[in-house]
Amino acid sequence: MSSLLVCEFKKLKRNSILKYTVLAAFLFPIPLSLLALHANMSFDKLKMFVFVFGFYLLMPIFLGLILATLVFEERDNNTLKNILTIPISKRSLLLAKIIATLIIGVIFVVVSLILPIILGVVRGNIDLGQFFTTLGIGLIIGVMVTVADLPLLIVVLKMKKNYLMSFVVSLSYTILSFVTSLQYNRFPLPLSVVFKWSLPHISSGTMSASITRLFFSTPSCIGILCIVGFLSYYVAVKLFESEEE
């Protein structure tokens, strides 16, 4: 599996998508940090803006593009047939792509939090406990968002080599999920479920009962994500195995 992961990251390096993803993760908190400085915003508020707009808008789009790149690179270069001459199953190959995407999701979270945490330390409004809590919640959300994005893998496999349509679907799925997250409902779109689970953990203010009743509990969130992850992987494997080599 480690060799497969190395191969997947080499594909991303050739395509430059990994570089752009990490760059976006580092750059997008800059205007938020400048706003925080100008408005004398607390670390908790800055952190919430980074979580909401970075992890629920920007990251899902890039993870969708990562999945598309990992699948399309083999088709564009016609390397899948050569890979399968090695005694390895398509199931393992697909799992390696998912794990690689998961690792990139974690990297995105860590890079996105560098600037806000530095700013919090410089301004003296973050302690060691907040540092570890923020990083821990961020990493958990990174994993959850990646799993919530796995239905896009099915779309990617059906799109063949259509990068544009994969991007449009990824963007549409993310925007729909984000809009749903802001509504007064409990519609179980995977990304919306993660958002409504995480809100009590990333916000510092008190919320009314009419809002808290919309949140998903930890068991509910994990249960929904397990179902989504399993079904997405199962369907994706069937589609992948049915393709002509």
Side-chain angles (χ1 to χ4, degrees), residues 92-226:
S92 298
L93 192 57
L94 199 61
L95 182 60
K97 298 180 191 303
I98 293 173
I99 294 174
T101 306
L102 182 64
I103 292 171
I104 293 167
V106 169
I107 293 172
F108 189 100
V109 166
V110 173
V111 174
S112 297
L113 290 174
I114 289 175
L115 188 58
I117 287 176
I118 290 175
L119 185 62
V121 171
V122 170
R123 298 175 66 191
N125 54 9
I126 178 175
D127 56 32
L128 195 61
Q130 285 178 300
F131 168 78
F132 284 112
T133 299
T134 300
L135 187 59
I137 292 295
L139 293 176
I140 292 171
I141 291 175
V143 172
M144 287 182 167
V145 168
T146 305
V147 175
D149 241 16
L150 287 183
L152 293 175
L153 182 58
I154 298 171
V155 177
V156 167
L157 289 169
K158 295 293 288 184
M159 289 294 177
K160 304 301 180 183
K161 297 181 182 181
N162 198 326
Y163 279 96
L164 178 59
M165 280 304 299
S166 297
F167 171 73
V168 170
V169 171
S170 178
L171 180 64
S172 301
Y173 173 67
T174 301
I175 292 175
L176 176 62
S177 298
F178 190 76
V179 171
T180 302
S181 300
L182 301 178
Q183 304 299 311
Y184 284 86
N185 61 56
R186 282 171 59 87
F187 191 74
L189 274 176
L191 281 173
S192 179
V193 170
V194 178
F195 181 91
K196 289 180 177 175
W197 167 82
S198 69
L199 201 54
H201 303 285
I202 65 177
S203 60
S204 56
T206 57
M207 301 181 189
S208 65
S210 61
I211 294 178
T212 56
R213 68 180 178 81
L214 301 173
F215 296 160
F216 285 87
S217 65
T218 299
S220 298
C221 182
I222 293 175
I224 291 171
L225 290 180
C226 285

